[in-house]
Amino acid sequence: MKKMFPKATLCAIALGLLAGCAGEEDTVIMAPVPTVTSEFTPSQEWSNSVGDGVGHYFSKLTPEYAYDKVFVASRDGMIKALDPETGKEIWRNDLEKDVIARISGGLTAGYGKVFLGSENGEMIAVDEETGEELWRVSVNGEVLAAPATENNMVLVHTSRGMMVALDQATGEEKWTISTEVPSLTLRGDSAPVTVSGGVFWGTANGRLAAAIVDRGQLIWQQPVGTPKGATEIDRLVDVDSSPVVLGGTLYTVGINGQLIAIDLRSGKPVWKRNYSSAIDLASDGSRLFVVTDNDHLAAVDARSGTEIWSTSLLENRLLTAPAIINGYVVVGDTEGYLHWLDRATGDFVAQQLVDDSGFAVAPIELADGYLVVTRNGDVKKLTISQ
C-alpha cells in the first residue's frame, strides 16, 4: 500500500531542514514495498540494545567496528562496547551530564579512543578499553557528523561552518577554518575525510573544501552546486555527503547540485553529472552508488560518470545511505526494511523486515557478518546463509 505524506513533513524528516517547508500542501507518495523473492535469508547471531537509540531525531550514529569491539551509542548519551562475536557488553558509559547529551556526531575510533560530538556543541573522547571519559570540550556549533582523525588531531565539522582541529590527547584546539553558511541550509553536515595529510569536506554554501591538516591551511574550494530557482528551498546547495576517495580522485554530491569527480591535487573537476543528494555515497572501487533526494538509487561508473543502472522502486521511502555488504548494495528504509540489490544490474535480490522502528543509518560490515542498529536502539548481528 502506498503511503502519502505532506510535503512539509517529508522535507523536515528527509532533508532535516532548519527552516523552510511550512505552508506546502502537496503530498508525496511513498512507494510500496517492492515484491522481492529473496535469494537468501539472514540468520541472527545475537542482539543487544543501546538506550532508546535516536528515535525520530536527525542523529545518525553509525556504529564503529574497531579494536576488536563494536561501539554503539544513543542520542541520550549511552555508549557501549560490545563483543562482536557474542554481543556481550564489555563496558558502558552514560555521557549525559546536566542536560540531555544529544549525541549526534560519530562514532569515530582512533588513537585508543572513541570520539563523539553533540548538538550541545561538545566533542567527547572516551577510552576504547574502559569507556572512561577522557576529555570533553566545547566547539563552535552543533556536531552533526562523525569527526575524522589525522596527524594526532581530531577534525570536527560544525553546523556553523567551522572545521576545527583538536589535539587527540587533550581536546585542545589547534586551528579553525571558517566557511560561509547561508541563512537557510539543510540540518546536516558533511563528515570530513583525510588522505595524504589533507582533509576534505563539503560545505553549506555548495562547495567541496580541502585543507592541509598540519597547518590548517585552506588550499582549494570547488563548487559542487550553484544556487538557482525561485524559492529559498530551490536554492539550497548544501554538500552534506561525506567525500569518497578512490586513488587520486575524490567524489561527492550536493543537494540541488551535482555528483562530481575531482582531482585530489589540483581540485579541478574530472566530470560532473546531474544528481541531487544529501546522503553519503558508497563505492565498490569501480562504481559509485548514490541515493537521490527522492530516494532513487543509482550506480555510476567512477571513471566516466556514466550511469550504469537506476531504480525508482524505493521512491520516498526515506532511505539510509547505501552500504556494500557481502558484495551487495544494501539500503535501509523508514519502515525497517533492508533492501539488497545486485551491484552490477540493480536487480533486487533480497529483502527483510528487521524492525518497524526503521533505520537512520546503514548496516556496517563485520569480519563474519554485518551489524544493524534500529532507530529504537536495537543492535543486531546477522549473517547471510545462501
Side-chain angles (χ1 to χ4, degrees), residues 108-188:
T108 299
Y111 309 116
K113 303 176 181 66
V114 182
F115 303 99
L116 308 93
S118 80
E119 296 172 37
N120 299 330
E122 293 182 323
M123 275 300 302
I124 304 167
V126 302
D127 186 278
E128 66 87 8
E129 288 189 355
T130 66
E132 175 189 3
E133 184 176 318
L134 300 175
W135 52 258
R136 180 185 298 232
V137 299
S138 295
V139 293
N140 191 353
E142 296 177 307
V143 182
L144 303 175
T149 56
E150 180 82 0
N151 291 10
N152 280 312
M153 297 183 198
V154 183
L155 304 164
V156 185
H157 184 202
T158 80
S159 61
R160 294 186 180 177
M162 305 292 182
M163 177 58 64
V164 183
L166 305 174
D167 184 278
Q168 62 87 10
T170 65
E172 176 189 0
E173 184 177 310
K174 309 300 286 186
W175 52 256
T176 299
I177 295 172
S178 177
T179 58
E180 178 188 358
V181 177
S183 57
L184 181 66
T185 70
L186 299 183
R187 192 172 182 272

Side-chain angles (χ1 to χ4, degrees), residues 56-384:
H56 294 291
Y57 291 95
F58 179 76
S59 306
K60 294 184 176 181
L61 296 175
T62 299
E64 180 82 313
Y65 177 41
Y67 304 115
D68 296 318
K69 302 178 185 71
V70 172
F71 302 100
V72 291
S74 65
R75 185 177 184 271
D76 59 8
M78 179 60 68
I79 178 172
K80 289 184 178 183
L82 306 177
D83 184 310
E85 296 300 319
T86 66
K88 291 184 178 178
E89 183 180 303
I90 299 171
W91 55 254
R92 70 166 67 189
N93 190 354
D94 187 351
L95 300 175
E96 185 172 319
K97 299 299 184 183
D98 298 329
V99 296
I100 296 174
R102 301 202 302 169
I103 302 297
S104 54
L107 295 66
T108 299
Y111 309 116
K113 303 176 181 66
V114 182
F115 303 99
L116 308 93
S118 80
E119 296 172 37
N120 299 330
E122 293 182 323
M123 275 300 302
I124 304 167
V126 302
D127 186 278
E128 66 87 8
E129 288 189 355
T130 66
E132 175 189 3
E133 184 176 318
L134 300 175
W135 52 258
R136 180 185 298 232
V137 299
S138 295
V139 293
N140 191 353
E142 296 177 307
V143 182
L144 303 175
T149 56
E150 180 82 0
N151 291 10
N152 280 312
M153 297 183 198
V154 183
L155 304 164
V156 185
H157 184 202
T158 80
S159 61
R160 294 186 180 177
M162 305 292 182
M163 177 58 64
V164 183
L166 305 174
D167 184 278
Q168 62 87 10
T170 65
E172 176 189 0
E173 184 177 310
K174 309 300 286 186
W175 52 256
T176 299
I177 295 172
S178 177
T179 58
E180 178 188 358
V181 177
S183 57
L184 181 66
T185 70
L186 299 183
R187 192 172 182 272
D189 291 312
S190 169
V193 299
T194 58
V195 60
S196 302
V199 57
F200 306 88
W201 72 100
T203 69
N205 64 352
R207 297 173 179 270
L208 186 77
I212 298 172
V213 173
D214 277 347
R215 302 194 296 272
Q217 177 185 350
L218 193 64
I219 50 179
W220 52 257
Q221 293 189 69
Q222 175 60 235
V224 176
T226 303
K228 57 190 175 187
T231 71
E232 286 189 276
I233 293 174
D234 290 336
R235 295 175 61 80
L236 289 168
V237 290
D238 299 58
V239 180
D240 283 345
S241 173
S242 179
V244 170
V245 178
L246 297 176
T249 308
L250 183 150
Y251 304 87
T252 196
V253 65
I255 196 76
N256 293 334
Q258 295 173 312
L259 174 66
I260 185 170
I262 297 173
D263 181 80
L264 270 176
R265 291 189 174 275
S266 67
K268 294 183 178 179
V270 178
W271 53 256
K272 297 180 180 181
R273 299 293 182 266
N274 289 327
Y275 293 91
S276 174
S277 178
I279 298 176
D280 287 351
L281 305 168
S283 176
D284 63 1
S286 62
R287 289 167 283 227
L288 300 168
F289 302 98
V290 56
V291 171
T292 69
D293 54 10
N294 56 1
D295 291 317
H296 292 189
L297 178 58
V300 176
D301 184 271
R303 295 186 62 183
S304 65
T306 302
E307 183 173 280
I308 301 169
W309 55 259
S310 177
T311 178
S312 61
L313 292 178
L314 300 173
E315 186 170 274
N316 299 323
R317 294 193 62 83
L318 303 184
L319 301 181
T320 67
I324 308 297
I325 305 290
N326 211 57
Y328 299 102
V329 182
V330 187
V331 291
D333 71 22
T334 190
E335 292 187 320
Y337 286 88
L338 284 183
H339 306 275
W340 303 73
L341 292 85
D342 185 286
R343 289 179 298 161
T345 64
D347 294 333
F348 285 77
V349 296
Q351 177 188 94
Q352 302 91 38
L353 175 60
V354 179
D355 186 291
D356 60 10
S357 70
F359 293 104
V361 295
I364 65 166
E365 194 162 37
L366 304 177
D368 57 350
Y370 63 98
L371 191 82
V372 297
V373 179
T374 66
R375 281 192 170 272
N376 65 7
D378 287 342
V379 183
K380 305 174 189 286
K381 178 185 177 181
L382 300 104
T383 58
I384 293 175

